[in-house]
């Protein structure tokens, strides 16, 4: 059988990937009290392959970083210890495992904050209460002198991730969370050095990149962006300029990879193509380029074949198909994902019980 482009090797810095099918970060809300649980070892190792890249779900950098139930953290010793067997389980299968480090910013409520305080952000404008069915609490605008403290939380989280055994970290700059809030001009209304023009709005993300790369080495750091999406009301008037500026700035830090989400997952009804091309970004960024967002097998093959991206991340398909690389290799039928179990707290149902190919009735 001829090898498909998705199943060809790729060298990502010092990592020799055996194929190009990536597990992107997927929040699964099963980390009770913000502690990753033993069932996560089963879940991730099910999806690990020798030389395959996995990125762990969004993981909080501090006690102000959460906005959803039972998401994991990596700011305490207990959390670091809890991650270790999960990372080991992935490594036993030869997988390469990165941790996505995350702060939700204003996408939170008093309930998730220490002492019921207001969530923090670059702004005091809140997410519209009721969006996605949640009564989002109004945020508190960070003072200029507090910003280095948050940057330091990312630095320490990266150090902790390495201590837990992860091969590297992905800085979560996507999907409307804190870093995205700073970058996008329809949210950031600051008048200090962290707001206003493009350079100022990108200062916070790039200071995080600087701190994290200094802490653990740029050969272990990737970043995720969603410049063309407006999740959680984060619009920008010029996403092309914003993303190109970020890609070029990330080059100066020698970042290992750039992981960009195309906004096609927000389609309604029949499939829509993304109105934006990632090609200029891909051409601007010097490291490994990962594309995500609504890809199917044929589209991923085409994207790799046309050098549109080095790697393709498959979210919902990988969630529902623990052996996705094998299924793509064989062009086998895929399990369908069940949206209603994405975020339930069950340690098995909708999590580790999606069948492998050989478990299916023939
Ligand atoms: C259940 C679920 C949880 C997600 N959690 C995260 C997350 O923690 N961090 C993140 O950057 N993206 C997250 N995403 C977005 C996915 O990583 C991915 O970009 C998205 O699903 C689009 O890819 P797909 O069309 O292949 O599913 C999540 C998506 C889903 C469906």
């Amino acid at each position: 059988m001829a090898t498909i482009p998705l199943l060809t090797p790729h060298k990502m810095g010092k990592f020799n990937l055996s194929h190009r099918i990536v597990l992107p970060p997927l929040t699964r809300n099963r980390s009770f009290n913000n502690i990753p649980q033993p069932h996560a070892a089963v879940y991730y190792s099910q999806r690990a392959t020798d030389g395959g890249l996995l990125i762990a779900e969004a993981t909080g950098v501090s006690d102000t970083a959460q906005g959803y139930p039972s998401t994991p953290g990596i700011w305490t010793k207990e959390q670091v210890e809890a991650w270790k067997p999960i990372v080991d389980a992935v490594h036993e299968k030869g997988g390469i495992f990165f941790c996505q480090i995350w702060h939700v910013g204003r996408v939170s409520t008093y309930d998730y904050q220490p002492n019921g305080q207001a969530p923090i952000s670059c702004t005091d404008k809140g997410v519209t209460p009721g969006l996605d069915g949640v009564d989002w609490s109004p945020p508190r605008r960070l003072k200029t002198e507090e910003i280095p403290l948050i940057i330091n939380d990312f630095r320490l989280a990266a150090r902790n991730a390495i201590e837990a055994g992860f091969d590297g970290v992905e800085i979560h700059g996507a999907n409307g969370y804190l870093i995205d809030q700073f970058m996008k001009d329809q949210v950031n209304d600051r008048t200090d050095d962290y707001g206003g023009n493009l350079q100022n709005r990108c200062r916070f993300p790039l200071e995080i990149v600087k701190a994290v790369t200094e802490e653990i080495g740029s050969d272990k750091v990737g970043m995720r962006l969603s410049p063309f999406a407006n999740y959680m009301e984060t619009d920008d008037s010029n996403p092309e300029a914003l993303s190109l500026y970020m890609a070029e700035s990330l080059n100066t830090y020698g970042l290992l990879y750039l992981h960009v989400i195309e906004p096609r997952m927000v389609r309604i009804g029949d499939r829509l193509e993304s109105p934006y091309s990632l090609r200029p970004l891909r051409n601007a960024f010097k490291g490994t380029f990962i594309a995500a967002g609504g890809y199917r097998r044929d589209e991923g093959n085409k994207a790799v074949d046309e050098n549109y991206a080095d790697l393709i991340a498959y979210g919902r398909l990988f969630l529902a198909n623990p052996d996705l690389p094998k299924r793509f290799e064989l062009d086998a039928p895929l399990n369908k994902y069940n949206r209603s179990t994405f975020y339930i707290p069950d340690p098995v149902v909708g999590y580790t019980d999606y069948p492998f190919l050989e478990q299916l009735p023939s």
Side-chain angles (χ1 to χ4, degrees):
M1 198 191 303
T3 306
I4 59 171
L6 281 170
L7 287 161
T8 56
H10 170 76
K11 196 162 165 51
M12 180 176 83
K14 64 179 178 183
F15 302 102
N16 291 309
L17 305 185
S18 63
H19 62 78
R20 296 161 184 263
I21 302 158
V22 177
L23 176 76
L26 294 166
T27 292
R28 305 309 313 276
N29 304 79
R30 286 151 166 94
S31 296
F32 315 123
N33 298 316
N34 305 124
I35 313 267
Q37 301 290 311
H39 45 250
V42 180
Y43 167 77
Y44 284 111
S45 74
Q46 284 180 336
R47 284 154 186 80
T49 50
D50 194 7
L53 175 63
L54 281 70
I55 307 161
E57 65 211 84
T59 298
V61 299
S62 70
D63 62 356
T64 63
Q66 281 70 233
Y68 301 94
S70 302
T71 51
I74 194 147
W75 73 91
T76 71
K77 180 85 185 140
E78 192 183 0
Q79 291 162 343
V80 173
E81 291 306 312
W83 273 115
K84 284 182 180 172
I86 302 167
V87 179
D88 286 348
V90 169
H91 284 160
E92 265 165 38
K93 292 258 197 104
I96 295 147
F97 202 15
F98 274 55
C99 181
Q100 188 184 47
I101 52 175
W102 180 47
H103 196 300
V104 295
R106 67 177 187 168
V107 184
S108 189
T109 68
Y110 302 131
D111 294 341
Y112 293 106
Q113 296 301 317
N115 308 318
Q117 69 188 33
I120 55 169
S121 184
C122 58
T123 178
D124 52 15
K125 280 184 308 192
V127 177
T128 305
L131 185 74
D132 290 345
V134 177
D135 194 15
W136 307 106
S137 303
R140 177 177 74 78
R141 184 193 306 272
L142 282 166
K143 298 191 188 83
T144 310
E145 59 272 23
E146 291 176 296
I147 291 177
L149 304 174
I150 312 297
I151 293 167
N152 199 46
D153 288 337
F154 276 89
R155 188 176 65 77
L156 294 176
R159 181 200 288 178
N160 287 345
I162 299 302
E163 159 72 19
F166 281 105
D167 297 290
V169 301
E170 174 174 291
I171 299 169
H172 194 347
N175 295 351
Y177 299 114
L178 184 62
I179 293 176
D180 212 16
Q181 290 158 30
F182 268 86
M183 280 189 286
K184 300 277 177 75
D185 64 6
Q186 302 304 297
V187 181
N188 186 333
D189 55 359
R190 301 181 72 87
T191 53
D192 62 2
D193 285 351
Y194 292 90
N197 64 32
L198 183 58
Q199 283 78 3
N200 277 1
R201 282 183 280 115
C202 293
R203 191 179 307 281
F204 175 67
L206 292 172
E207 287 184 353
I208 291 174
V209 169
K210 181 169 186 289
V212 168
T213 53
E214 279 174 4
E215 184 67 33
I216 65 169
S218 59
D219 57 341
K220 301 185 196 70
V221 183
M223 184 162 200
R224 196 169 212 213
L225 298 174
S226 55
F228 302 107
N230 60 354
Y231 303 115
M232 307 314 292
E233 304 178 318
T234 43
D235 278 296
D236 193 81
S237 59
N238 192 346
E240 288 89 353
L242 171 66
S243 54
L244 272 179
Y245 177 76
M246 281 301 291
E248 281 157 9
S249 305
L250 296 179
N251 285 335
T252 65
Y253 292 101
L255 227 69
L256 180 66
Y257 72 75
L258 176 57
H259 185 179
V260 184
I261 309 171
E262 289 177 283
R264 13 178 183 188
M265 68 182 275
V266 292
R267 71 187 183 270
I268 300 163
D270 256 5
R271 243 188 130 62
L272 291 179
E273 277 302 309
S274 166
Y276 299 99
S277 171
L278 301 185
R279 182 69 71 181
L281 261 184
R282 195 277 188 277
N283 292 343
F285 184 66
K286 294 198 168 71
T288 289
F289 193 80
I290 312 177
Y295 278 87
R296 296 180 307 203
R297 178 181 183 270
D298 53 337
E299 293 163 332
N301 277 326
K302 185 164 176 278
V304 172
D305 194 43
E306 293 177 352
N307 200 20
Y308 182 77
D310 296 305
L311 309 175
I312 307 294
Y314 287 92
R316 291 162 292 178
L317 294 187
F318 220 148
L319 182 157
N321 293 273
D323 49 359
L324 189 67
K326 185 172 172 193
R327 293 198 192 214
F328 278 177
E329 182 178 2
L330 303 174
D331 202 9
L334 299 178
N335 300 330
K336 290 198 168 32
Y337 55 80
N338 178 359
R339 194 180 298 279
S340 69
T341 56
F342 279 176
Y343 305 113
I344 64 170
D346 198 289
V348 175
V349 178
Y351 193 51
T352 56
D353 63 349
Y354 282 105
F356 286 76
L357 203 48
E358 56 271 19
Q359 294 169 328
L360 292 171
S362 47

